Amino acid sequence: MSSIRDDYIAPWWTYWLHNFPHVNLNFQPIDNTFSPQDQNYQQSLIFLGCVAAAGLGLNLLCLAIYLSCLCCCRKDEDEESKRPNSCCVTWSAVVAGLISCAAVGVGFYGNSETNDGVYQLTYSLYNANHTLGGVDNLVTNTMGSMESGLKQHLARLDEIFATRGDYVQTLRFMQQMADNVIKQLLGLPDWDTAKVDLAAVADQTAYVEYYRWLTYLLLLILDLVICLAACLGLAKQSRWLLTTMMVFGVLTLILSWASLGVDLATAVGTSDFCVIPDKFIMNQTKDLISSDIVHYYLYCSQTLPNPFQQSLTIFQRSLTTMQIQIQGLLQFAVPLFPTAERDLLGIQHLLNSSEASLHQLTALLDCRGLNKDYLDALIGVCYDGVEGLLYLCLFSILAICAFCAMLCAIPRAWTHIASRERDYDDIDEEDPFNPQARRMTTHNPNHATNVHSFCSYSSSMGSQSSLHPPAAQAGSNAPVSEYMNQSALFGGNQRYENVPLIGRGSPPPSYSPSMRATYLSMTEDQIRHFGNDFQA
């Protein structure tokens, strides 16, 4: 029995996955032959999922250590070096974004390839199911017509030809031919069980594949949304958005490791089947169909004999013999027994229908149809399906790298944002010309009143140099007198110092702390003397 085929060669990646170490949960190596019913083989696939779970735990541990070290190092830093380097955060975000985009692209391609492979598998299963169902219907209908229709016609003709022994003997011979046809049809394998199994497998496979495809599509969209939202949070420097994306990033990291374990286990198991698929099919069908028949359909070689050829030949010869007998009776018996013509024509019509069914049955039982469906299913699973699973594994790895980079960049971005806010808060809040202090005036009405009175008094001093403010007002508005003395000191004339500033709505000029301290230490005579010297 030949077992060499040249119409199917397993791809190289299935051999690579097939050579993966197969270890059960007791860390004992087992055979890598595809046998899903074996408990040890099931444990070897579960072990691959456990390896992915161990990788997830190690990844989370490394992230926790990194975050702990980052917090400890930040506490030990000096006040002058607390501002982190934003360049590192920027490059980490860029790398995470690029890797995430590449992962999403690879994931979409792998998901599509896997779906195409599974669709080709289910299409081939449905097509093979249709072929086997057609064989079963033809056999059932032919046997029914031979057992019931032919038997009724022969019984009535036996009564009509009761006086003619030679005609009755011809009817007995036709009954033997009909029994021979029924015997050959009963010798054919029962395809009904295989047909039902194929339909159930195809329905279950299509159901699982739909939800697998939808789950991965949602996961890809989730990865893309998280990446874009994290980039938006970094651009807007939004703490709550970065915190939310960090939580979702950890969740997606867990999902990526889980998908990696499931995809790897599925790819290894499928590759074990794809390397030696014929052996598994033979073992699964040995209790249902003869091994010669299964071998005939799996390899469909010209050198292999057709296991149905003998039965079909006997079927054909029996029908031909019966048709010859009916033609003789129509020619010689109808003139003597006119009432027998109806039954004879009925038998002739039944034999013609059986011959048409025989031709259809011969075409359906030929190995080329089912072998094509088998090869299409193998190519769909082992080429497109396993290749798509490998791309999905690559997607999971890239997604893990991208989210690790993102989870490392977000805490640094947090530190950077906090440092900027701390540096901004170090500005003197009592300075009325500080932009932050001007924003705080909306929350402090007393402070706003003081500033308003200062502007009003300055305006009056600019327009009426001869008027002097009351003593109480001068005592309550110390910054005003200080500013007016500064104007006299550095401008000489209060009118020309204040009018342009108030007219264009700009604040008075501010001076450095050293200049202000020098001014405050001078007496009024020194100030007046210094002003006169400055004007001269």
Side-chain angles (χ1 to χ4, degrees), residues 13-14 16-18 20 22 41 45 48 260-274 381 385-391 393:
W13 51 81
T14 58
W16 178 65
L17 292 171
H18 179 65
F20 264 40
H22 289 64
Y41 184 80
L45 299 181
L48 296 175
L260 177 61
V262 173
D263 292 337
L264 184 60
T266 306
V268 171
T270 307
S271 298
D272 293 338
F273 166 77
C274 292
V381 171
V386 178
E387 182 183 7
L389 289 175
L390 288 178
Y391 277 106
C393 291

Side-chain angles (χ1 to χ4, degrees), residues 454-460 462 497-506:
F454 164 73
C455 294
S456 300
Y457 181 71
S458 299
S459 177
S460 63
E497 173 63 22
N498 292 310
V499 171
L501 293 175
I502 297 174
R504 64 172 181 265
S506 300

